[in-house]
Amino acid sequence: MDPNKRPDDMIRITTAELAEKFIEEQVAAVREQVGDNNVLLALSGGVDSSVVAALLIKAIGKQLVCVHVNHGLMRKGESEQVVEVFRNQLDANLIYIDAEDRFLDKLAGVADPEKKRKIIGEEFVRVFEEESNKLEGKFFLGQGTIYPDIIESDGVKAHHNVGGLPEDMKFIGLVEPVRLLYKDEVRVVGSALGLPDDMVYRQPFPGPGLGVRCLGAITKDRLAAVRESDAILREEFDIAGLTPHVWQFFTSIPDFRSTGVKDGKRAFDWPVIIRAVNTVDAMTATVPEIDWAVLKKITDRILKEVPGVCRVLYDLSPKPSATIEWE
Ligand code: XMP
């Protein structure tokens, strides 16, 4: 039997009861696989790695070492939530690395989106490798690979969870307890493990994070503005009850200024672009008709609360011809 092929008769995990059964089986399987050894896991705070972390904590406790690399491109409050949930609530063995300066130094002056992605990906592996080299003992590598990753890596798209880490890292093997699950099943398992809803049901967030939403060469002032405006957008979508109904929403900030007027004086500040889309598979996307009053409130708050911003735009472009992200 191919361990990476989902059996045709595997029941879809749609209820807490089925999730409990899956967790029980996986806890036993992981204990058996890992024995007295350890598991190292890169914990981004995304759904998949968070669910795997919670599952492995249940299975092997402190034999799991989680590494959270804060590349300085996380959304507001995201790294703090990872520490709060995993270190403080679940008592995980968590290494938190503040690598913001390191990433921003590497990215300084780099405007090309694909180069930015490459730098962020490579630097991430380097930081992770450095941390793993400091550890003593024998380690498996834990990964939040899910079934669509396996299917996709078979075809056109290389996925970071499948074969993205350097081969010279000496791991005993891989621990991938959710590799046969679809995303909706991973979420049900995450809830059954007690993870908070906003972690389990969070929208997709690109690996390069705000790095591809702070358009062109990243600067600290615009990075702060995109983070703050994104937090306001999320807060207001929550208040308006839109969060469960819009697939992905965020702000981006271009690398050109525009003329404005503030307190009776001419300003020359950044615009912020609101992006909201609905989609099934991210291959095509439509733009939801957000209530005008909600957009106005978000606009007013961004203009009032985010320094250096004098304009707010709503992106009406479907995919195609636009992509979801601006870069
Ligand atoms: P696009 O912009 O291509 O995005 O329409 C489709 C979906 O993929 C996400 N995205 C990324 N995810 N690394 C990721 O892990 C990336 O470099 C990346 N770029 C885009 C995007 O947020 C959307 O959900």
Side-chain angles (χ1 to χ4, degrees), residues 12-33:
R12 281 187 69 82
I13 301 169
T14 50
T15 64
E17 214 176 359
L18 290 167
E20 295 293 351
K21 190 162 165 279
F22 173 85
I23 293 164
E24 216 172 278
E25 285 164 10
Q26 287 305 317
V27 162
V30 167
R31 283 186 186 149
E32 162 98 27
Q33 183 189 4

Side-chain angles (χ1 to χ4, degrees), residues 120-304:
I120 295 165
E122 283 176 0
E123 198 57 20
F124 181 87
V125 170
R126 219 162 284 150
V127 173
F128 189 70
E129 219 170 4
E130 280 174 23
E131 283 312 309
S132 69
N133 287 338
K134 290 182 197 159
L135 298 167
E136 288 186 13
K138 287 190 181 163
F139 280 85
F140 284 87
L141 180 68
Q143 293 210 116
T145 311
I146 68 172
Y147 204 48
D149 300 336
I150 293 177
I151 300 168
E152 280 167 14
S153 65
D154 245 12
V156 277
K157 233 168 85 180
H159 194 276
H160 60 94
N161 274 332
V162 183
L165 283 168
E167 283 174 12
D168 57 353
M169 285 175 86
K170 291 185 188 64
F171 290 106
I172 311 169
L174 294 177
V175 175
E176 298 179 307
V178 299
R179 73 183 179 284
L180 297 183
L181 302 192
Y182 288 103
K183 194 82 177 189
D184 56 316
E185 299 179 295
V186 176
R187 295 191 207 274
V188 177
V189 169
S191 291
L193 285 162
L195 291 177
D197 275 1
D198 61 344
M199 194 169 241
V200 170
Y201 288 95
R202 72 176 220 158
Q203 52 182 292
F205 185 59
L210 300 180
V212 289
R213 295 178 181 171
C214 185
L215 310 181
I218 297 167
T219 54
K220 278 201 165 175
D221 62 336
R222 285 186 308 118
L223 187 57
V226 83
R227 181 175 286 125
E228 283 305 317
S229 56
D230 175 73
I232 291 170
L233 179 71
R234 286 196 281 151
E235 213 176 293
E236 292 300 329
F237 265 44
D238 269 350
I239 292 170
L242 290 170
T243 305
H245 304 291
V246 182
W247 194 81
Q248 193 175 17
F249 48 91
F250 54 87
T251 60
S252 290
I253 189 161
D255 57 350
F256 55 82
R257 293 174 198 260
S258 92
T259 305
V261 55
K262 268 188 189 167
D263 305 323
K265 284 196 217 101
R266 183 183 182 280
F268 195 48
D269 281 336
W270 308 111
V272 159
I273 302 155
I274 298 172
R275 183 78 168 134
V277 293
N278 277 323
T279 176
V280 174
D281 57 6
M283 301 300 286
T284 62
T286 56
V287 179
E289 283 186 36
I290 303 300
D291 186 34
W292 199 248
V294 175
L295 286 175
K296 271 186 75 176
K297 186 168 174 215
I298 294 164
T299 301
D300 289 346
R301 279 197 61 193
I302 291 175
L303 293 177
K304 191 159 154 249

Side-chain angles (χ1 to χ4, degrees), residues 117 160 204-208 213 247-248 282 319 323-325 327:
R117 278 193 171 79
H160 60 94
F205 185 59
R213 295 178 181 171
W247 194 81
Q248 193 175 17
K319 175 180 182 176
T323 51
I324 295 173
E325 302 288 345
E327 286 193 335

